[in-house]
Amino acid sequence: MAVKTYSLKKDGNEKLSAHFKVKEFRCKDGSDKILIESGLVKYLEKIYDHFNCSSITISSAYRTPKHDKAVGGKGSGNHVQGKAVDFKAYNKKGELISSKEIALYLEDLGVKGIGYRCGGISTSTHMDINYRLKKWYGDERKSMSASIGSSFYTYLGVKYSTKKTTAAVNVRKEPSTDAKVYKTLNKGTSVKVADTDSIRRDGLDWVRVKIGSKHYWMAEKYLK
């Protein structure tokens, strides 16, 4: 993955992926140059699939140094480098998905730059892809600093209930029967289940489970 330079005039309608075009990442000052880190598109598509979105709208992606300063930036950050995006995601009913669920999912994916409640809005999220930097988790309603700590699960007070498997069951990296299997648990194994919204897919309700310090997915029907 790398940053690529585009022209709004020449490349604006070029499709970057199934759901995103170059022009969606343009600077709001109307400049022709657009920088886009391909990793941003990759993770936006993952969000689109994971939440079965009807759409994702980008409020801010690439910024020229001048525009970045005009909106309160330093003129040299990840937006200026084409490595950041602020966005809102909508489910199939056209309802906004909470930044809480987006942030938890991005943490599951291993994204290092996550801004919860971007701009102070509970349904807006910031994501940046800067491979040289360490983890940056922030709550933008409170501060523009890395104020979260090591995990959104801890910061957001996600609680867990302990359940047991009713059969031998696969723990997967995504909520899908096609997703890669992390491990298989034997019948009667105790599992910590995160108290967050479940996802319906492949005819099953999927829940997050905590194994060690990481989160994976299991079909809820195999837990009691």
Side-chain angles (χ1 to χ4, degrees):
M1 292 183 283
V3 175
K4 186 175 179 180
T5 302
Y6 297 89
S7 161
L8 177 60
K9 184 177 180 179
K10 295 179 180 179
D11 310 313
N13 287 315
E14 179 182 329
K15 292 193 72 173
L16 297 167
S17 63
H19 299 101
F20 299 97
K21 294 182 178 180
V22 168
K23 63 183 178 183
E24 295 176 75
F25 294 79
R26 69 191 183 278
C27 181
K28 300 305 181 185
D29 67 2
S31 59
D32 185 65
K33 179 181 177 181
I34 307 173
L35 299 180
I36 306 173
E37 161 62 60
S38 60
L40 294 175
V41 182
K42 169 189 171 183
Y43 286 115
L44 285 171
E45 282 292 349
K46 282 183 174 290
I47 292 166
Y48 210 105
D49 178 65
H50 180 82
F51 291 100
N52 195 23
C53 292
S54 59
S55 65
I56 290 178
T57 58
I58 295 173
S59 57
S60 181
Y62 172 66
R63 298 174 188 166
T64 61
K66 182 179 180 180
H67 182 68
D68 189 58
K69 290 179 180 178
V71 296
K74 296 181 179 179
S76 59
N78 286 316
H79 278 286
V80 175
Q81 298 175 52
K83 298 178 180 179
V85 61
D86 304 335
F87 64 94
K88 293 180 180 180
Y90 297 78
N91 64 22
K92 283 298 183 184
K93 296 179 180 180
E95 301 165 334
L96 282 162
I97 299 168
S98 71
S99 183
K100 172 184 175 179
E101 284 302 310
I102 300 290
L104 290 173
Y105 178 59
L106 290 177
E107 180 177 328
D108 291 344
L109 291 178
V111 174
K112 294 182 178 180
I114 306 170
Y116 167 57
R117 300 194 294 194
C118 177
I121 302 169
S122 63
T123 54
S124 182
T125 306
H126 167 93
M127 172 174 60
D128 62 66
I129 307 293
N130 192 330
Y131 303 102
R132 295 177 297 173
L133 299 181
K134 295 181 179 180
K135 185 184 291 185
W136 186 95
Y137 288 171
D139 181 348
E140 294 192 19
R141 182 172 290 182
K142 294 185 176 181
S143 170
M144 293 304 293
S145 65
S147 56
I148 294 300
S150 61
S151 175
F152 280 100
Y153 284 89
T154 301
Y155 179 78
L156 296 171
V158 173
K159 297 181 179 180
Y160 300 86
S161 58
T162 300
K163 297 186 179 182
K164 288 189 176 182
T165 56
T166 59
V169 58
N170 291 324
V171 178
R172 299 181 182 273
K173 293 191 174 183
E174 290 283 343
S176 169
T177 53
D178 294 328
K180 185 176 181 180
V181 175
Y182 168 65
K183 68 187 303 183
T184 301
L185 300 181
N186 295 325
K187 180 181 179 180
T189 302
S190 293
V191 180
K192 287 185 176 181
V193 181
D195 181 21
T196 56
D197 294 337
S198 63
I199 289 180
R200 182 77 177 174
R201 186 168 295 162
D202 302 331
L204 297 168
D205 292 314
W206 297 84
V207 292
R208 285 186 178 94
V209 296
K210 186 177 183 180
I211 298 178
S213 61
K214 296 184 178 181
H215 292 81
Y216 302 92
W217 294 86
M218 283 180 59
E220 189 174 27
K221 65 180 289 186
Y222 297 110
L223 295 167
K224 70 173 182 179

